[in-house]
Amino acid sequence: MSANRAGGPIRIHQIHKLPAPYSDFFFQALEDHPGLDFQVYYLWRGSWRRPWKSALGRGYHNTCMEPIWGIDWRRLKTAWFDVDSVFIVGDWAHLPTVAVILARCLRRTPVALWVDTPAEDIKRPALKRWLRRRFLKWLLPKPDIIFGTGRKARRILLEMGARAEQFIELPFLVDLDRPGLAGGDAEIRHEAQKLRETVQCGPEGVVFSMIGRLAAIKGNDIGLRAFAQCRRQAPRPVGLLIAGEGPERQNLEALAHSLGLGNSVSFLGWQEPMGVEAVYLASEIILHPARIDPFPVVILDAMNWSRVVIGSDVCGNVEDRIVSGVNGFAFPAEDVDELAKIMLDLVRHPEKLPEIGAQARKTAVAWPVERGVKVVLEQAARILRARKNKCEF
């Protein structure tokens, strides 16, 4: 493992939007690595879209950026003068982060982007779309590395102007130990049992779940309509848990009522991490019928929990990780009938669920957090080494 020119550990400055459970887990692993000096800077501490009450941002060094006139001058100074470090920037849409990226590029010092699969199919005003496209076409070729979440991310980033040699795969990472620990927690098991009773499903029933923000792009209405079709022909009790909040909740509740779903559907509202774990434990099948969702963490988590995932084919990690019928299922986005068909087949043949769930878990295990840490350290060492060689030359 290479170190910086001073001979010490590799120094990484990570800029991220806001704390979240999945990033906390990864950042803690980076912090714990003895060959790394790691510091995180957050743009914000929270968001109305993700109103976490659980304590986040623990187990690693982090602070919040303090912009003045739109720029965090302290972070910008560090970006300019700390030439023997690597900056990894998880945002390109806000002035404080753009300033850091440009400073590193002007100084020709190591800088990387870490991005989700860009959501280029989201509708934007024409002028904003044009300006964004021109700006990213100019910006994306400049960093040393672009960490992206998978094949779909690579395709889109190259179309947007990134260079092929920049792209390094680094998907979101999940805690592989957590399902075992949560499954052994009596409180979580009890809550999971209550959830199954809420949708009137005993041991012989099959519980579906949708987890995430209740917004039109997430396709919860598609899931509800498919569930209604499945329920009409199901040979055993079926239930649907919907965990999350968002602007579509009232519309979805009205849709559930109009479909006559009654007590077979339960809207759980916003859930903290322990509540989400109870939902996974209560469920056999996780639905993710999104119209748009670049690389949803819920699919990674569900596979980690050995749950059968049915996801729409617009999701990057459905493309990357799901082999339909083997470790989960993919269906054409917005195709209610095809989704209902897959759901009903599983309800009629629940003996398929354990093996498909086991294969899902095998897929999840291929990306332990140690693999993500190794990717970051190796790439950081590589670009530091390249800069050192240039300076010596």
Side-chain angles (χ1 to χ4, degrees), residues 230-303:
C230 173
R231 181 172 175 262
R232 283 196 291 269
Q233 301 177 64
R236 54 180 42 84
V238 293
L240 175 61
L241 301 170
I242 301 177
E245 273 295 352
E248 284 295 299
R249 176 161 180 172
Q250 189 173 351
N251 291 336
L252 293 168
E253 288 177 335
L255 176 60
H257 179 74
S258 70
L259 291 169
L261 297 178
N263 291 332
S264 64
V265 173
S266 180
F267 287 83
L268 306 178
W270 173 261
Q271 296 294 305
E272 294 295 308
M274 185 178 289
V276 173
E277 290 171 350
V279 174
Y280 282 126
L281 200 58
S283 308
E284 280 80 29
I285 301 166
I286 307 299
L287 307 178
H288 199 75
R291 292 180 171 90
I292 301 169
D293 208 341
F295 204 87
V297 176
V298 64
I299 288 176
L300 307 180
D301 244 340
M303 297 182 84

Side-chain angles (χ1 to χ4, degrees), residues 9 18 22 41 221 254 281 328 333 387:
L18 71 166
Y22 74 85
Y41 311 104
D221 58 312
L281 200 58
R387 182 181 185 277

Side-chain angles (χ1 to χ4, degrees), residues 16-21 23-24 42 44-46 52 56-57 60 62:
H16 211 63
K17 283 186 179 180
L18 71 166
S23 56
D24 270 7
Y42 283 114
W44 313 291
R45 279 295 174 195
W52 300 107
L56 298 174
Y60 57 94
N62 68 91

Side-chain angles (χ1 to χ4, degrees), residues 155-318:
R155 283 198 310 273
I156 294 174
L157 286 163
L158 293 185
E159 291 169 2
M160 294 168 67
R163 295 174 283 115
E165 62 270 23
Q166 289 173 287
F167 185 85
I168 302 294
E169 185 177 4
L170 183 64
F172 303 132
L173 299 151
V174 294
D175 186 347
L176 298 176
D177 296 329
R178 192 58 207 161
L181 294 171
D185 187 311
E187 183 180 351
I188 296 176
R189 289 201 312 273
H190 177 67
E191 184 59 31
Q193 182 58 40
K194 285 170 56 180
L195 290 174
R196 291 187 68 89
E197 292 169 359
T198 298
V199 290
Q200 302 179 327
C201 278
E204 299 302 314
V206 175
V207 175
F208 298 88
S209 291
M210 293 191 289
I211 302 170
R213 182 168 163 73
L214 304 186
I217 62 173
K218 299 292 187 177
N220 301 100
D221 58 312
I222 297 165
L224 273 171
R225 294 181 190 280
F227 176 75
Q229 285 190 31
C230 173
R231 181 172 175 262
R232 283 196 291 269
Q233 301 177 64
R236 54 180 42 84
V238 293
L240 175 61
L241 301 170
I242 301 177
E245 273 295 352
E248 284 295 299
R249 176 161 180 172
Q250 189 173 351
N251 291 336
L252 293 168
E253 288 177 335
L255 176 60
H257 179 74
S258 70
L259 291 169
L261 297 178
N263 291 332
S264 64
V265 173
S266 180
F267 287 83
L268 306 178
W270 173 261
Q271 296 294 305
E272 294 295 308
M274 185 178 289
V276 173
E277 290 171 350
V279 174
Y280 282 126
L281 200 58
S283 308
E284 280 80 29
I285 301 166
I286 307 299
L287 307 178
H288 199 75
R291 292 180 171 90
I292 301 169
D293 208 341
F295 204 87
V297 176
V298 64
I299 288 176
L300 307 180
D301 244 340
M303 297 182 84
N304 183 34
W305 276 77
S306 306
R307 296 303 179 254
V308 175
V309 174
I310 311 176
S312 60
D313 59 2
V314 296
C315 302
N317 44 14
V318 169

